[in-house]
Amino acid sequence: MSEDSSALLTDHYELTMLQGALHSGAAARRSVFEMFARRLPEGRRYGVVAGTGRFLELLERFRFGSEELDFLSDHQIVDERTLEWLSKFRFSGNIWGYGEGEVYFPGSPIMVVESTFAEAVVLETLALSVFNHDSAIASAASRMAVAAGDRPLIEMGSRRTHERAAVSAARAAYVAGFTTSSNLEAERSYGVPTGGTAAHSFTLLHDSEYHAFKAQVESLGAGTTLLVDTYDVERAVRHAVELAGTGLGAVRIDSGDLSAHATRVRKQLDELGAKDTRIVVTGDLDEHSIQALAVAPVDGYGVGTSLVTGSGAPTMSLVYKLVARARNLESDAPLEPVAKRSVGKPSRGGRKWALRRLDEQGTAVAEEIYPYEPQAEVSTRPMLRPLVFQGEPVGRESVHEARERHRAAVAELPEQALRMSRGEATITTVFH
């Protein structure tokens, strides 16, 4: 696959469906697909939309060039007629979606794709791959950010996942409230702030902890963060302040009883005059351990494995379903609802629009889904915004804008949505 194309980031059956639809004559039938979740991961109270910006980038690169067409031809995946169609493919339809960073609930039409069946169906795998992964990371990150409160969070999961997934995970975590990432590609590609200092290997490299700290302070300055739990924490803190002075930026604790260590280290730092030196803790943290550390004298958290695996929910189980199609092939033919009747996997037919209803205090109380575009009222806000118009992306945003949207969306949620205990979706979805 050429580096510039995203076209083969898809499932085989998307193209065999395309071939079948071209054969039957239904490929050009105007259709509406929706992406939604039938339910949230067990115990979660809300989900977070993430991946919109990445999807729009990949959509622009969804082109079948000579390399992709040769591959499909050589492996006899589709016939010549389908290859000819793919060679000219450019998405020309419209896409609406919840804004990136927005929260969602079961049944929320997170994305709506309106085009021909052929154009929409080939995007299914790409859309689900991006949104299921990024939304899972963002949903976990949001809970961690809620648990952390005003204390900053560092994303540091690059070594715990696929190298490319690490970049999108860092991006999604930043959207959902993390402050910085350890991943440099995330900063280059998306502007996510990065930071980092040293691991235990740096200390072990030197003849003593003292010599390691001395080298780090001389190289990076007194504002650096020194890792103090390689040998003896109390001695390490003493060396750290001796070398960096009372202006030492921070110390990091990566193992043991983090709350107890932090309490002792805070007392020691204060006694040594380093009252402004921060304490950062790392080591297999998740939202529950972060919440448990709320009463400890901790100034920041670094999270890796739990974040990049969705903290127990590595996918949001989003689906992409055909919900309406034109009565016939005429361009002005009315759309008719279609829906699955499968046991345990039903879908609701018809193109949908969504409003979020707020009470007098500005707190979200319901997700209202309509079969027509409703008039916005006082204490409601429309959820769907244009992402693509006639094939051209119109919904591009920076991660900083998505991050601000997420902050505002979480601020609208009722108090029970922010609890770390297991629970059901906080907002009821009402279908009108």
Side-chain angles (χ1 to χ4, degrees), residues 138-415:
S139 297
S142 180
R143 284 165 57 83
M144 294 172 190
V146 167
D150 294 332
R151 298 172 178 179
L153 288 159
I154 307 163
E155 184 282 314
M156 47 196 306
S158 294
R159 292 169 292 170
R160 300 293 186 265
T161 189
H162 184 277
E163 67 273 10
R164 298 306 305 178
V167 182
S168 54
R171 181 187 183 280
Y174 182 71
V175 166
F178 272 58
T179 309
T180 57
S181 170
S182 66
N183 191 285
L184 289 174
E185 186 60 45
E187 179 163 24
R188 182 174 74 162
S189 294
Y190 302 112
V192 175
T194 59
T197 50
H200 291 289
S201 60
F202 183 80
T203 300
L204 295 170
L205 168 69
H206 291 81
D207 293 335
S208 70
E209 198 168 49
Y210 182 91
H211 287 95
F213 286 179
K214 185 173 186 293
Q216 185 174 331
V217 170
E218 288 177 352
S219 174
L220 300 178
T224 190
T225 298
L226 295 173
L227 182 57
V228 295
D229 70 332
T230 305
Y231 303 118
D232 178 82
V233 173
E234 183 178 353
R235 185 177 62 186
V237 172
R238 190 167 61 251
H239 286 329
V241 177
E242 178 184 345
L243 288 162
T246 56
L248 173 64
V251 296
R252 176 161 75 96
I253 307 169
D254 187 52
S255 58
D257 186 331
L258 297 176
S259 179
H261 276 318
T263 299
R264 288 193 291 269
V265 168
R266 182 72 273 158
K267 183 174 184 294
Q268 185 182 5
L269 287 169
D270 290 348
E271 289 173 348
L272 292 170
K275 296 180 181 294
D276 294 327
T277 298
R278 295 171 294 108
I279 298 174
V280 177
V281 295
T282 58
D284 295 325
L285 298 177
D286 63 10
E287 62 265 47
H288 303 292
S289 53
I290 290 170
Q291 185 179 53
L293 287 164
V295 296
V298 171
D299 300 290
Y301 310 91
V303 189
T305 303
S306 182
L307 176 72
V308 298
T309 56
S311 195
T315 177
M316 297 304 285
S317 299
L318 298 171
V319 295
Y320 182 95
K321 297 299 179 185
L322 180 67
V323 295
R325 51 119 171 103
R327 184 174 298 169
N328 54 51
L329 291 175
E330 299 297 327
S331 60
D332 58 350
L335 290 169
E336 297 181 328
V338 294
K340 285 180 60 175
R341 304 297 181 202
S342 306
V343 176
K345 291 186 175 182
S347 59
R348 293 177 181 268
R351 202 294 195 197
K352 303 174 192 67
W353 285 260
L355 290 178
R356 184 157 298 159
R357 188 166 294 278
L358 313 173
D359 65 15
E360 293 179 355
Q361 287 72 46
T363 300
V365 294
E367 195 89 333
E368 300 186 355
I369 314 298
Y370 294 83
Y372 54 86
E373 187 168 12
Q375 292 292 321
E377 307 169 13
V378 176
S379 297
T380 67
R381 62 182 182 91
M383 301 305 296
L384 290 170
R385 58 192 300 272
L387 301 178
V388 178
F389 179 69
Q390 295 181 0
E392 294 297 322
V394 295
R396 289 192 186 88
E397 294 178 315
S398 71
V399 290
H400 311 294
E401 291 171 292
R403 177 183 172 87
E404 180 58 27
R405 177 181 292 109
H406 179 69
R407 186 203 62 76
V410 170
E412 279 184 355
L413 293 175
E415 183 276 332

